[in-house]
Amino acid sequence: EDISQRIRRRSQYLSGRLGYPLGSFFKMSLIGDLAWNTYDGSADATDALAASNESFVLPVDHQVYSGTLQLEFNRIGYSITASGAASRRSEWEPWGLFDNASSGFVDPTFDPDQRSFSTWKITAFKEWYLPKFQKIKAEIDYLDGRDLDRFSQYVIGRFGDESLEGFAGTGVRFDTGYVARTGWAFNVAGVVRFDVSAEYARVRDTLDDDRFRNHTGLGLSFNIPIPWTMILQGSYGRAIASDVPGLQGKQEFQLLILKLFPRGLKSGRSR
């Protein structure tokens, strides 16, 4: 990571969806999204550039308007989803490392054509139900896009199609990728629920080079009922292999306590 280009982005989202069934097994959805993005400088970046004549020009704060068309097929445990999204920023001006001496950008990555960009995804998913409340699942995703930059690329995170066990928060970005997941869920004593998963991603960041890089992670999660109608949920992920130096061996933890509220009693008829 280039610390001199580290910044902070804060985003807020508003989304709406309209779905319409097409027969017994298909569904079409139209999705509208509005995002507000604001950018702030980083103290680490300021310190890294302090001894140079360079500074980092932040992207202008803006909104992103997106429209998505999604088609789904579901039958006997098989699911296939294909979607395409077109997005446009309200404003988009030059950003990046700026040489104050020459009054010019250093190796500029800004492209005015990237004010508008598009993404598309295809997901295939299957579950198999086994005796004694066991379940096996498998999934494969293909993700791609056009005119993607640092701030519109896919990012491996904690949730969604771009998630990968053990790699949350690593900052791995890509514009083309394949992600495969498999998992086994089972119960212990009919009370404790465990999920074991293995996940693999082969992704490419064309802003860096045309090389595909491989990442593999393993995950374990559990779900335990505890007193006072609460549920304890926990998960652990570990990056067991990666083509990016320093990422192998990364770990992630999450622990949640959920409270269940019983449905209220019906009020009696007034007299």
Side-chain angles (χ1 to χ4, degrees), residues 64-138:
V64 181
Y65 309 96
S66 301
T68 303
L69 174 63
Q70 179 176 282
L71 297 174
E72 300 176 61
F73 168 79
N74 292 281
R75 180 169 170 79
I76 57 175
Y78 290 92
S79 174
I80 299 176
T81 303
S83 65
S87 303
R88 182 171 176 82
R89 297 176 168 105
S90 59
E91 298 181 72
W92 198 234
E93 299 177 3
W95 58 271
L97 281 178
F98 188 82
D99 189 331
N100 299 304
S102 63
S103 298
F105 283 92
V106 180
D107 188 22
T109 57
F110 170 80
D111 184 346
D113 292 337
Q114 292 173 335
R115 179 176 180 179
S116 297
F117 57 93
S118 57
T119 57
W120 51 89
K121 306 176 184 179
I122 299 177
T123 298
F125 178 81
K126 169 62 177 173
E127 286 184 332
W128 293 269
Y129 291 89
L130 305 177
K132 299 182 179 179
F133 304 103
Q134 298 181 88
K135 181 173 64 175
I136 295 176
K137 60 183 178 180

Side-chain angles (χ1 to χ4, degrees), residues 8-27:
R8 295 179 296 173
R9 180 174 68 175
R10 292 175 294 173
S11 301
Q12 294 179 308
Y13 300 92
L14 179 65
S15 181
R17 174 189 294 259
L18 177 64
Y20 185 80
L22 302 174
S24 301
F25 311 114
F26 292 90
K27 180 181 179 181

